Coordinates of all heavy atoms in Angstrom, one line a residue:
M1 N 16.1 12.2 3.4 CA 14.8 12.1 2.7 C 13.7 12.2 3.7 O 13.8 11.4 4.7 CB 14.8 10.7 2.0 CG 13.5 10.3 1.4 SD 13.4 8.7 0.6 CE 14.7 8.7 -0.5
S2 N 12.7 12.9 3.4 CA 11.6 13.1 4.4 C 10.6 11.9 4.2 O 10.8 11.1 3.2 CB 10.8 14.4 4.1 OG 10.0 14.2 2.9
D3 N 9.8 11.7 5.2 CA 8.8 10.5 5.1 C 7.9 10.7 3.9 O 7.7 9.7 3.2 CB 8.0 10.5 6.3 CG 8.8 10.2 7.6 OD1 10.0 9.7 7.5 OD2 8.4 10.5 8.7
L4 N 7.5 11.9 3.6 CA 6.7 12.1 2.4 C 7.4 11.8 1.1 O 6.9 11.2 0.2 CB 6.1 13.5 2.4 CG 5.1 13.8 1.3 CD1 3.9 12.9 1.4 CD2 4.6 15.3 1.5
E5 N 8.7 12.2 1.1 CA 9.5 11.9 -0.1 C 9.6 10.4 -0.3 O 9.6 9.9 -1.4 CB 10.9 12.5 0.0 CG 10.9 14.0 -0.1 CD 12.3 14.7 0.2 OE1 13.0 14.1 1.0 OE2 12.6 15.7 -0.4
F6 N 9.8 9.7 0.9 CA 9.8 8.2 0.8 C 8.6 7.6 0.1 O 8.6 6.7 -0.7 CB 10.1 7.6 2.1 CG 10.1 6.0 2.0 CD1 11.1 5.3 1.5 CD2 8.9 5.4 2.5 CE1 10.9 3.9 1.3 CE2 8.8 4.0 2.3 CZ 9.8 3.3 1.8
L7 N 7.4 8.1 0.5 CA 6.2 7.6 0.0 C 6.1 7.9 -1.5 O 5.6 7.0 -2.3 CB 4.9 8.2 0.7 CG 4.6 7.7 2.1 CD1 3.4 8.5 2.7 CD2 4.3 6.2 2.1
H8 N 6.6 9.0 -1.9 CA 6.6 9.4 -3.4 C 7.6 8.4 -4.1 O 7.3 8.0 -5.2 CB 6.9 10.8 -3.6 CG 5.8 11.7 -3.2 ND1 6.0 12.8 -2.4 CD2 4.5 11.8 -3.6 CE1 4.8 13.4 -2.2 NE2 3.9 12.8 -3.0
E9 N 8.7 8.2 -3.5 CA 9.7 7.2 -4.1 C 9.1 5.8 -4.2 O 9.2 5.2 -5.2 CB 10.9 7.2 -3.2 CG 12.1 6.4 -3.8 CD 13.3 6.4 -3.0 OE1 13.9 7.5 -2.9 OE2 13.6 5.4 -2.4
L10 N 8.4 5.4 -3.2 CA 7.7 4.1 -3.2 C 6.6 4.0 -4.3 O 6.5 3.1 -5.1 CB 7.1 3.7 -1.8 CG 6.4 2.4 -1.7 CD1 7.2 1.2 -2.2 CD2 5.8 2.2 -0.3
E11 N 5.9 5.1 -4.4 CA 4.8 5.2 -5.4 C 5.4 5.1 -6.8 O 4.9 4.4 -7.6 CB 4.1 6.6 -5.2 CG 3.0 6.8 -6.3 CD 2.4 8.2 -6.0 OE1 3.1 9.2 -5.8 OE2 1.1 8.2 -6.0
N12 N 6.6 5.8 -7.0 CA 7.2 5.7 -8.3 C 7.8 4.3 -8.6 O 7.7 3.9 -9.8 CB 8.3 6.8 -8.4 CG 7.8 8.2 -8.5 OD1 6.7 8.4 -9.0 ND2 8.6 9.2 -8.0
L13 N 8.3 3.7 -7.6 CA 8.8 2.3 -7.8 C 7.6 1.4 -8.2 O 7.7 0.5 -9.1 CB 9.4 1.7 -6.5 CG 9.9 0.3 -6.5 CD1 10.9 0.1 -7.6 CD2 10.4 -0.1 -5.1
L14 N 6.4 1.5 -7.5 CA 5.2 0.7 -7.8 C 4.8 1.0 -9.2 O 4.4 0.1 -10.0 CB 4.1 1.1 -6.8 CG 4.4 0.6 -5.4 CD1 3.3 1.1 -4.5 CD2 4.6 -0.9 -5.2
K15 N 4.9 2.2 -9.6 CA 4.5 2.6 -11.1 C 5.4 1.9 -12.1 O 5.0 1.4 -13.1 CB 4.5 4.1 -11.2 CG 3.4 4.8 -10.6 CD 3.5 6.3 -10.8 CE 2.4 7.1 -10.1 NZ 2.6 8.6 -10.3
S16 N 6.7 1.9 -11.7 CA 7.6 1.3 -12.6 C 7.5 -0.2 -12.7 O 7.6 -0.9 -13.7 CB 9.1 1.6 -12.3 OG 9.6 1.0 -11.2
R17 N 7.1 -0.9 -11.5 CA 6.9 -2.3 -11.5 C 5.7 -2.6 -12.3 O 5.6 -3.6 -13.1 CB 6.6 -2.8 -10.1 CG 7.9 -2.7 -9.2 CD 8.9 -3.8 -9.6 NE 9.9 -4.0 -8.6 CZ 11.1 -3.4 -8.6 NH1 11.4 -2.5 -9.5 NH2 12.0 -3.6 -7.7
K18 N 4.7 -1.7 -12.3 CA 3.4 -2.0 -13.1 C 3.7 -1.9 -14.6 O 3.3 -2.7 -15.3 CB 2.4 -1.0 -12.7 CG 1.0 -1.2 -13.4 CD 0.0 -0.2 -13.1 CE -1.3 -0.5 -13.9 NZ -2.3 0.5 -13.8
A19 N 4.6 -0.9 -14.9 CA 4.8 -0.7 -16.3 C 5.8 -1.7 -16.9 O 5.6 -2.2 -18.0 CB 5.5 0.7 -16.5
E20 N 6.8 -2.1 -16.1 CA 7.8 -3.1 -16.6 C 7.5 -4.5 -16.3 O 8.1 -5.4 -17.0 CB 9.2 -2.6 -16.0 CG 9.6 -1.3 -16.4 CD 10.7 -0.7 -15.6 OE1 11.4 -1.5 -14.8 OE2 11.0 0.5 -15.6
L21 N 6.8 -4.8 -15.3 CA 6.4 -6.2 -14.9 C 7.7 -7.1 -14.8 O 7.6 -8.2 -15.4 CB 5.3 -6.8 -15.7 CG 4.0 -6.1 -15.7 CD1 3.0 -6.7 -16.7 CD2 3.3 -6.1 -14.3
P22 N 8.6 -6.7 -14.1 CA 9.8 -7.6 -14.0 C 9.5 -8.9 -13.4 O 8.6 -9.1 -12.5 CB 10.8 -6.9 -13.1 CG 10.0 -5.8 -12.4 CD 8.8 -5.5 -13.2
E23 N 10.1 -10.0 -13.9 CA 9.7 -11.4 -13.6 C 9.9 -11.8 -12.1 O 9.0 -12.4 -11.6 CB 10.6 -12.4 -14.4 CG 10.1 -13.8 -14.4 CD 8.7 -14.0 -14.9 OE1 8.4 -13.3 -15.9 OE2 7.9 -14.8 -14.4
N24 N 10.9 -11.3 -11.5 CA 11.1 -11.7 -10.1 C 10.6 -10.7 -9.0 O 11.1 -10.7 -7.9 CB 12.6 -12.0 -9.8 CG 13.0 -13.2 -10.6 OD1 12.3 -14.2 -10.8 ND2 14.2 -13.2 -11.1
S25 N 9.6 -9.9 -9.4 CA 9.1 -8.8 -8.5 C 7.8 -9.3 -7.9 O 6.8 -9.6 -8.7 CB 9.0 -7.5 -9.3 OG 8.2 -6.6 -8.5
Y26 N 7.7 -9.2 -6.6 CA 6.4 -9.5 -5.9 C 5.3 -8.5 -6.4 O 4.2 -8.9 -6.7 CB 6.6 -9.5 -4.4 CG 5.3 -9.6 -3.6 CD1 4.6 -10.8 -3.6 CD2 4.7 -8.4 -3.0 CE1 3.3 -10.8 -2.9 CE2 3.6 -8.5 -2.3 CZ 2.9 -9.7 -2.2 OH 1.6 -9.7 -1.6
T27 N 5.7 -7.3 -6.4 CA 4.8 -6.2 -6.9 C 4.3 -6.4 -8.2 O 3.1 -6.4 -8.6 CB 5.5 -4.8 -6.7 OG1 5.9 -4.6 -5.4 CG2 4.5 -3.7 -7.0
A28 N 5.2 -6.8 -9.1 CA 4.8 -7.1 -10.5 C 3.8 -8.2 -10.6 O 2.9 -8.3 -11.4 CB 6.0 -7.3 -11.4
K29 N 4.1 -9.2 -9.7 CA 3.2 -10.4 -9.7 C 1.8 -10.0 -9.2 O 0.8 -10.5 -9.8 CB 3.8 -11.4 -8.7 CG 2.9 -12.7 -8.5 CD 3.6 -13.6 -7.5 CE 2.6 -14.7 -7.3 NZ 3.1 -15.7 -6.3
L30 N 1.7 -9.1 -8.3 CA 0.4 -8.5 -7.9 C -0.3 -7.9 -9.1 O -1.5 -8.1 -9.3 CB 0.5 -7.6 -6.7 CG 0.9 -8.1 -5.3 CD1 1.2 -6.9 -4.4 CD2 -0.1 -9.0 -4.8
F31 N 0.4 -7.1 -9.8 CA -0.2 -6.4 -11.0 C -0.6 -7.4 -12.0 O -1.7 -7.3 -12.6 CB 0.7 -5.3 -11.5 CG 0.8 -4.1 -10.7 CD1 2.1 -3.7 -10.2 CD2 -0.3 -3.4 -10.4 CE1 2.2 -2.5 -9.5 CE2 -0.2 -2.2 -9.6 CZ 1.0 -1.8 -9.2
R32 N 0.2 -8.4 -12.3 CA -0.1 -9.4 -13.2 C -1.3 -10.2 -12.9 O -2.1 -10.6 -13.7 CB 1.1 -10.4 -13.5 CG 2.2 -9.9 -14.4 CD 3.1 -11.0 -14.8 NE 3.9 -11.6 -13.7 CZ 4.9 -11.1 -13.1 NH1 5.5 -10.0 -13.5 NH2 5.5 -11.7 -12.1
E33 N -1.4 -10.6 -11.6 CA -2.6 -11.4 -11.1 C -3.9 -10.6 -11.0 O -4.9 -11.2 -10.9 CB -2.2 -12.0 -9.8 CG -1.1 -13.1 -9.9 CD -0.7 -13.7 -8.6 OE1 -1.3 -13.4 -7.6 OE2 0.2 -14.6 -8.7
G34 N -3.8 -9.3 -11.1 CA -5.0 -8.4 -11.1 C -5.5 -8.0 -9.8 O -5.1 -8.3 -8.7
E35 N -6.6 -7.2 -10.0 CA -7.2 -6.6 -8.7 C -7.7 -7.5 -7.7 O -7.6 -7.3 -6.5 CB -8.3 -5.6 -9.2 CG -9.6 -6.3 -9.6 CD -10.7 -5.3 -9.9 OE1 -10.5 -4.1 -10.0 OE2 -11.8 -5.8 -10.1
D36 N -8.2 -8.7 -8.1 CA -8.7 -9.6 -7.0 C -7.6 -10.0 -6.1 O -7.8 -10.1 -4.9 CB -9.3 -10.9 -7.7 CG -10.7 -10.6 -8.2 OD1 -11.3 -9.5 -8.0 OD2 -11.2 -11.5 -9.0
R37 N -6.4 -10.2 -6.7 CA -5.2 -10.6 -5.8 C -4.9 -9.5 -4.8 O -4.8 -9.8 -3.6 CB -4.1 -11.0 -6.7 CG -2.8 -11.3 -5.9 CD -3.0 -12.7 -5.3 NE -1.8 -13.1 -4.6 CZ -1.6 -13.4 -3.4 NH1 -2.7 -13.5 -2.6 NH2 -0.5 -13.8 -2.9
Y38 N -4.7 -8.2 -5.3 CA -4.2 -7.3 -4.3 C -5.3 -6.8 -3.5 O -5.1 -6.4 -2.3 CB -3.5 -6.1 -5.0 CG -4.3 -5.2 -6.0 CD1 -5.3 -4.4 -5.5 CD2 -4.0 -5.3 -7.3 CE1 -6.0 -3.6 -6.5 CE2 -4.7 -4.4 -8.2 CZ -5.7 -3.6 -7.8 OH -6.3 -2.8 -8.6
L39 N -6.6 -6.9 -3.9 CA -7.7 -6.5 -3.0 C -7.9 -7.5 -1.9 O -8.1 -7.2 -0.7 CB -9.0 -6.4 -3.8 CG -9.1 -5.2 -4.8 CD1 -10.4 -5.3 -5.6 CD2 -9.0 -3.9 -4.1
K40 N -7.6 -8.8 -2.2 CA -7.6 -9.9 -1.2 C -6.5 -9.6 -0.1 O -6.6 -9.8 1.0 CB -7.5 -11.3 -1.8 CG -8.8 -11.7 -2.4 CD -8.6 -13.1 -3.1 CE -9.8 -13.5 -3.9 NZ -9.6 -14.8 -4.6
K41 N -5.3 -9.2 -0.7 CA -4.2 -8.9 0.2 C -4.5 -7.7 1.2 O -4.2 -7.7 2.3 CB -3.0 -8.6 -0.6 CG -2.3 -9.8 -1.2 CD -1.9 -10.8 -0.2 CE -0.8 -10.4 0.7 NZ -0.4 -11.4 1.7
I42 N -5.3 -6.7 0.7 CA -5.7 -5.6 1.5 C -6.6 -6.1 2.6 O -6.4 -5.7 3.8 CB -6.4 -4.5 0.7 CG1 -5.4 -3.8 -0.2 CG2 -7.0 -3.4 1.6 CD1 -5.9 -2.8 -1.3
V43 N -7.5 -6.9 2.3 CA -8.4 -7.5 3.3 C -7.7 -8.3 4.3 O -7.9 -8.1 5.6 CB -9.6 -8.3 2.7 CG1 -10.4 -9.0 3.7 CG2 -10.5 -7.4 1.8
E44 N -6.8 -9.1 3.8 CA -6.0 -10.0 4.7 C -5.1 -9.1 5.7 O -5.1 -9.4 6.9 CB -5.1 -10.9 3.8 CG -4.1 -11.7 4.6 CD -3.1 -12.4 3.7 OE1 -3.5 -12.8 2.6 OE2 -1.9 -12.5 4.2
E45 N -4.4 -8.2 5.1 CA -3.6 -7.3 5.9 C -4.4 -6.5 6.9 O -3.9 -6.2 8.0 CB -2.7 -6.4 5.1 CG -1.8 -7.2 4.1 CD -0.9 -8.2 4.8 OE1 -0.6 -8.1 6.0 OE2 -0.3 -9.1 4.1
A46 N -5.5 -6.0 6.5 CA -6.4 -5.2 7.4 C -6.8 -6.1 8.6 O -6.8 -5.7 9.8 CB -7.7 -4.7 6.7
G47 N -7.2 -7.4 8.4 CA -7.5 -8.3 9.4 C -6.3 -8.6 10.4 O -6.5 -8.6 11.6
E48 N -5.1 -8.8 9.8 CA -4.0 -9.0 10.6 C -3.6 -7.8 11.4 O -3.1 -7.9 12.5 CB -2.8 -9.4 9.7 CG -3.0 -10.8 9.1 CD -2.0 -11.3 8.1 OE1 -1.1 -10.4 7.7 OE2 -2.1 -12.4 7.7
T49 N -3.8 -6.6 10.9 CA -3.6 -5.4 11.6 C -4.5 -5.2 12.8 O -4.1 -4.9 13.9 CB -3.8 -4.1 10.7 OG1 -2.8 -4.2 9.6 CG2 -3.5 -2.8 11.5
V50 N -5.8 -5.6 12.6 CA -6.8 -5.5 13.7 C -6.4 -6.5 14.8 O -6.4 -6.2 16.0 CB -8.2 -5.8 13.2 CG1 -9.2 -6.1 14.3 CG2 -8.6 -4.7 12.3
L51 N -6.0 -7.8 14.4 CA -5.6 -8.8 15.3 C -4.3 -8.3 16.2 O -4.3 -8.5 17.4 CB -5.3 -10.1 14.7 CG -6.5 -10.8 14.2 CD1 -6.1 -12.1 13.4 CD2 -7.5 -11.1 15.3
A52 N -3.4 -7.7 15.5 CA -2.2 -7.1 16.2 C -2.6 -6.1 17.2 O -2.1 -6.1 18.3 CB -1.2 -6.7 15.1
A53 N -3.5 -5.2 16.8 CA -3.9 -4.2 17.7 C -4.7 -4.8 18.9 O -4.5 -4.3 20.0 CB -4.8 -3.2 16.9
K54 N -5.5 -5.8 18.6 CA -6.2 -6.4 19.8 C -5.3 -7.0 20.7 O -5.5 -7.2 21.9 CB -7.2 -7.5 19.2 CG -8.4 -6.9 18.4 CD -9.4 -6.3 19.2 CE -10.3 -7.3 19.9 NZ -11.3 -6.7 20.7
N55 N -4.1 -7.5 20.2 CA -3.1 -8.2 21.1 C -2.2 -7.2 21.7 O -1.2 -7.5 22.4 CB -2.3 -9.2 20.3 CG -3.1 -10.4 19.9 OD1 -4.0 -10.7 20.6 ND2 -2.9 -11.0 18.7
H56 N -2.4 -5.9 21.4 CA -1.5 -4.8 21.9 C 0.0 -5.1 21.6 O 0.8 -4.8 22.4 CB -1.7 -4.6 23.4 CG -3.1 -4.3 23.7 ND1 -3.6 -3.0 23.7 CD2 -4.2 -5.1 24.1 CE1 -4.9 -3.1 24.0 NE2 -5.3 -4.3 24.3
D57 N 0.3 -5.6 20.4 CA 1.7 -6.0 20.0 C 2.2 -4.9 19.1 O 1.9 -4.9 17.9 CB 1.7 -7.4 19.4 CG 3.1 -7.9 19.0 OD1 4.0 -7.0 18.8 OD2 3.2 -9.0 19.0
R58 N 2.9 -4.0 19.7 CA 3.4 -2.8 18.9 C 4.2 -3.2 17.6 O 3.9 -2.6 16.6 CB 4.2 -1.8 19.8 CG 4.6 -0.6 19.1 CD 5.5 0.3 20.0 NE 5.7 1.6 19.5 CZ 6.5 1.9 18.5 NH1 7.3 1.0 18.0 NH2 6.7 3.2 18.1
A59 N 5.1 -4.1 17.8 CA 5.9 -4.5 16.7 C 5.1 -5.1 15.6 O 5.3 -4.8 14.4 CB 7.0 -5.4 17.1
E60 N 4.1 -5.9 16.0 CA 3.3 -6.6 15.0 C 2.3 -5.6 14.3 O 2.0 -5.6 13.2 CB 2.5 -7.7 15.6 CG 1.8 -8.7 14.7 CD 2.8 -9.5 13.9 OE1 4.0 -9.6 14.3 OE2 2.4 -10.1 12.8
I61 N 1.8 -4.6 15.1 CA 1.0 -3.5 14.6 C 1.8 -2.8 13.5 O 1.2 -2.5 12.4 CB 0.5 -2.6 15.7 CG1 -0.5 -3.2 16.6 CG2 -0.1 -1.3 15.1 CD1 -0.8 -2.5 17.9
L62 N 3.0 -2.4 13.8 CA 3.8 -1.7 12.8 C 4.0 -2.6 11.5 O 3.9 -2.1 10.4 CB 5.1 -1.3 13.4 CG 5.1 -0.2 14.4 CD1 6.4 -0.1 15.1 CD2 4.7 1.1 13.8
Y63 N 4.4 -3.8 11.7 CA 4.6 -4.7 10.6 C 3.4 -4.9 9.7 O 3.4 -4.7 8.5 CB 5.1 -6.1 11.1 CG 5.5 -7.0 10.1 CD1 6.7 -7.1 9.6 CD2 4.6 -7.9 9.6 CE1 7.1 -8.0 8.6 CE2 4.9 -8.9 8.6 CZ 6.2 -8.9 8.1 OH 6.6 -9.8 7.1
E64 N 2.2 -5.1 10.3 CA 1.0 -5.4 9.6 C 0.5 -4.1 8.9 O -0.1 -4.1 7.8 CB -0.1 -6.0 10.5 CG 0.4 -7.4 11.0 CD 0.7 -8.5 9.9 OE1 0.3 -8.2 8.7 OE2 1.3 -9.4 10.2
T65 N 0.6 -3.0 9.6 CA 0.2 -1.7 9.1 C 1.0 -1.3 7.9 O 0.5 -0.9 6.9 CB 0.3 -0.6 10.1 OG1 -0.6 -0.9 11.2 CG2 -0.2 0.8 9.6
A66 N 2.3 -1.6 7.9 CA 3.2 -1.4 6.7 C 2.7 -2.2 5.6 O 2.7 -1.8 4.5 CB 4.7 -1.7 7.0
D67 N 2.4 -3.5 5.8 CA 1.9 -4.4 4.8 C 0.5 -3.8 4.2 O 0.4 -3.8 3.0 CB 1.6 -5.8 5.3 CG 2.9 -6.6 5.4 OD1 3.9 -6.2 4.8 OD2 2.8 -7.7 6.0
L68 N -0.3 -3.3 5.1 CA -1.6 -2.8 4.7 C -1.4 -1.6 3.8 O -2.0 -1.4 2.7 CB -2.5 -2.5 5.9 CG -3.9 -1.8 5.6 CD1 -4.7 -2.7 4.7 CD2 -4.5 -1.6 7.0
I69 N -0.5 -0.7 4.2 CA -0.3 0.5 3.4 C 0.3 0.2 2.1 O -0.1 0.8 1.0 CB 0.6 1.5 4.2 CG1 -0.2 2.1 5.4 CG2 1.1 2.6 3.3 CD1 0.6 2.8 6.4
F70 N 1.3 -0.7 2.1 CA 1.9 -1.2 0.8 C 0.9 -1.7 -0.2 O 0.8 -1.3 -1.3 CB 3.0 -2.3 1.1 CG 3.5 -2.8 -0.2 CD1 4.6 -2.1 -0.9 CD2 3.0 -4.0 -0.7 CE1 5.0 -2.6 -2.1 CE2 3.5 -4.5 -1.9 CZ 4.5 -3.8 -2.6
H71 N 0.0 -2.6 0.2 CA -0.9 -3.2 -0.7 C -2.0 -2.1 -1.1 O -2.5 -2.2 -2.2 CB -1.6 -4.4 -0.1 CG -0.6 -5.6 0.0 ND1 0.2 -5.8 1.1 CD2 -0.3 -6.5 -0.9 CE1 1.0 -6.9 0.8 NE2 0.8 -7.3 -0.4
T72 N -2.3 -1.3 -0.2 CA -3.2 -0.2 -0.5 C -2.6 0.7 -1.6 O -3.3 1.2 -2.5 CB -3.6 0.7 0.7 OG1 -4.3 -0.2 1.6 CG2 -4.5 1.8 0.3
M73 N -1.3 1.0 -1.5 CA -0.6 1.8 -2.5 C -0.6 1.1 -3.8 O -0.7 1.7 -4.9 CB 0.8 2.1 -2.0 CG 0.8 3.2 -0.9 SD 2.5 3.7 -0.4 CE 3.0 4.6 -1.9
V74 N -0.5 -0.2 -3.8 CA -0.5 -1.0 -5.1 C -1.9 -0.7 -5.8 O -1.9 -0.4 -6.9 CB -0.3 -2.5 -4.9 CG1 -0.6 -3.3 -6.1 CG2 1.2 -2.7 -4.4
M75 N -2.9 -0.8 -5.0 CA -4.3 -0.5 -5.5 C -4.4 0.9 -6.0 O -4.9 1.2 -7.1 CB -5.3 -0.7 -4.4 CG -6.8 -0.3 -4.9 SD -7.9 -0.1 -3.6 CE -7.1 1.3 -2.6
L76 N -3.9 1.9 -5.2 CA -3.9 3.3 -5.7 C -3.2 3.4 -7.1 O -3.7 4.1 -8.0 CB -3.3 4.2 -4.7 CG -4.1 4.3 -3.4 CD1 -3.3 5.1 -2.3 CD2 -5.5 5.0 -3.6
V77 N -2.0 2.9 -7.2 CA -1.2 3.0 -8.4 C -2.0 2.3 -9.6 O -2.1 2.9 -10.6 CB 0.2 2.4 -8.3 CG1 0.8 2.1 -9.6 CG2 1.0 3.2 -7.4
D78 N -2.6 1.2 -9.3 CA -3.3 0.5 -10.3 C -4.6 1.3 -10.8 O -5.0 1.2 -12.0 CB -3.8 -0.9 -9.9 CG -4.2 -1.8 -11.0 OD1 -3.4 -1.8 -12.1 OD2 -5.2 -2.5 -10.9
R79 N -5.1 2.0 -9.9 CA -6.3 2.9 -10.2 C -5.9 4.3 -10.7 O -6.8 5.1 -11.0 CB -7.2 3.1 -9.0 CG -7.8 1.8 -8.6 CD -8.9 1.4 -9.6 NE -9.7 0.3 -9.1 CZ -9.5 -1.0 -9.5 NH1 -8.5 -1.2 -10.4 NH2 -10.2 -2.0 -9.1
G80 N -4.6 4.6 -10.7 CA -4.2 5.9 -11.2 C -4.5 7.0 -10.1 O -4.6 8.1 -10.5
I81 N -4.5 6.7 -8.9 CA -4.7 7.7 -7.8 C -3.4 7.9 -7.1 O -2.7 6.9 -6.6 CB -5.8 7.1 -6.8 CG1 -7.1 6.8 -7.6 CG2 -5.9 8.1 -5.6 CD1 -8.1 6.1 -6.7
A82 N -3.0 9.1 -7.1 CA -1.7 9.5 -6.4 C -1.8 9.6 -4.9 O -2.9 9.9 -4.4 CB -1.2 10.8 -6.9
V83 N -0.7 9.3 -4.2 CA -0.6 9.5 -2.8 C -1.0 10.9 -2.4 O -1.8 11.1 -1.4 CB 0.8 9.1 -2.2 CG1 0.9 9.5 -0.8 CG2 1.1 7.7 -2.4
D84 N -0.6 11.9 -3.2 CA -1.0 13.3 -3.0 C -2.5 13.5 -2.9 O -3.0 14.3 -2.2 CB -0.3 14.1 -4.0 CG 1.2 14.3 -3.7 OD1 1.6 14.1 -2.6 OD2 1.9 14.7 -4.7
D85 N -3.2 12.7 -3.8 CA -4.7 12.8 -3.8 C -5.2 12.4 -2.4 O -6.2 12.9 -2.0 CB -5.3 12.0 -4.9 CG -4.9 12.5 -6.3 OD1 -4.5 13.7 -6.4 OD2 -4.9 11.7 -7.2
V86 N -4.6 11.3 -1.9 CA -5.2 10.8 -0.6 C -4.8 11.9 0.5 O -5.7 12.2 1.3 CB -4.5 9.5 -0.2 CG1 -4.9 9.1 1.2 CG2 -4.8 8.5 -1.2
I87 N -3.7 12.5 0.4 CA -3.3 13.6 1.4 C -4.2 14.8 1.2 O -4.7 15.3 2.3 CB -1.8 14.0 1.2 CG1 -0.9 12.8 1.5 CG2 -1.5 15.2 1.9 CD1 0.5 13.1 1.1
V88 N -4.6 15.1 0.0 CA -5.5 16.2 -0.2 C -6.9 15.9 0.5 O -7.5 16.8 1.1 CB -5.7 16.5 -1.6 CG1 -6.9 17.4 -1.9 CG2 -4.4 17.1 -2.2
E89 N -7.4 14.7 0.3 CA -8.6 14.3 0.9 C -8.5 14.3 2.4 O -9.5 14.7 3.1 CB -9.0 12.9 0.4 CG -10.2 12.3 1.0 CD -11.5 13.2 0.8 OE1 -11.5 14.0 -0.1 OE2 -12.5 12.9 1.6
L90 N -7.4 13.8 3.0 CA -7.3 13.8 4.4 C -7.3 15.3 5.0 O -7.9 15.6 6.0 CB -6.0 13.1 4.9 CG -6.0 11.6 4.8 CD1 -4.6 11.0 4.9 CD2 -7.0 11.0 5.8
K91 N -6.6 16.2 4.2 CA -6.5 17.6 4.6 C -8.0 18.1 4.6 O -8.4 18.9 5.4 CB -5.6 18.4 3.7 CG -4.1 18.1 4.1 CD -3.3 19.0 3.2 CE -1.8 18.9 3.5 NZ -1.0 19.8 2.6
R92 N -8.6 17.9 3.5 CA -10.0 18.4 3.3 C -10.9 18.0 4.5 O -11.7 18.8 5.0 CB -10.6 17.8 2.0 CG -12.0 18.4 1.7 CD -12.7 17.7 0.6 NE -13.1 16.3 0.9 CZ -14.1 15.9 1.7 NH1 -14.8 16.9 2.3 NH2 -14.4 14.7 2.0
R93 N -10.8 16.7 4.9 CA -11.6 16.2 6.0 C -11.2 17.0 7.3 O -12.1 17.0 8.2 CB -11.4 14.7 6.2 CG -12.0 13.9 5.1 CD -11.7 12.5 5.3 NE -12.2 11.6 4.2 CZ -12.3 10.4 4.3 NH1 -12.0 9.7 5.4 NH2 -12.7 9.7 3.3
H94 N -10.0 17.4 7.4 CA -9.6 18.0 8.7 C -9.4 19.6 8.6 O -8.8 20.2 9.4 CB -8.3 17.4 9.2 CG -8.5 16.0 9.5 ND1 -9.1 15.6 10.7 CD2 -8.3 14.9 8.8 CE1 -9.1 14.2 10.7 NE2 -8.7 13.8 9.6
G95 N -10.1 20.1 7.6 CA -10.2 21.5 7.4 C -8.9 22.3 7.2 O -8.7 23.4 7.6
K96 N -8.0 21.6 6.5 CA -6.6 22.1 6.2 C -6.6 22.6 4.8 O -6.6 22.0 3.8 CB -5.5 21.2 6.6 CG -5.6 20.7 8.0 CD -5.0 21.8 8.9 CE -5.1 21.3 10.3 NZ -4.6 22.3 11.2

């Protein structure tokens, strides 16, 4: 599985969690609690990512960046924005 395929698989999992809202799912809990909850998590994870970068801690940078991307993907799914739309925008900015 390619890295891009993994992002699509994760995106589909997040969509199913939003649709089904399983009881013991952290992701479903984020969707149930609403946008304020996941937006706060994005801010929190962004701050933790910055601190990890300031400390030059590679392992912590990777860990916190993964959390930041995950919570950002939750927001994208909730807003109906596909990962592919973000890729298109990145390509547009870089003339691709």
Side-chain angles (χ1 to χ4, degrees):
M1 171 186 307
S2 75
D3 295 339
L4 187 55
E5 288 171 330
F6 173 77
L7 284 178
H8 288 124
E9 185 176 293
L10 178 57
E11 179 180 49
N12 288 332
L13 176 64
L14 295 174
K15 287 177 182 178
S16 75
R17 292 292 194 264
K18 181 181 180 188
E20 298 166 12
L21 296 174
E23 193 59 38
N24 294 323
S25 165
Y26 171 72
T27 305
K29 180 180 176 185
L30 289 172
F31 286 123
R32 278 194 300 274
E33 292 179 359
E35 72 176 13
D36 284 348
R37 177 71 173 126
Y38 64 71
L39 293 175
K40 286 178 186 176
K41 287 300 292 180
I42 291 170
V43 171
E44 174 188 326
E45 300 304 342
E48 290 173 354
T49 301
V50 169
L51 291 175
K54 295 285 281 178
N55 291 331
H56 303 276
D57 185 333
R58 184 180 192 281
E60 196 67 17
I61 291 168
L62 289 171
Y63 185 88
E64 297 302 342
T65 301
D67 280 349
L68 178 58
I69 290 169
F70 173 82
H71 289 91
T72 300
M73 286 184 69
V74 168
M75 176 198 60
L76 292 172
V77 165
D78 199 41
R79 294 288 186 262
I81 300 170
V83 169
D84 286 340
D85 295 337
V86 176
I87 292 167
V88 167
E89 176 61 17
L90 289 169
K91 285 181 173 180
R92 185 193 65 75
R93 291 179 184 195
H94 296 282
K96 301 285 178 180

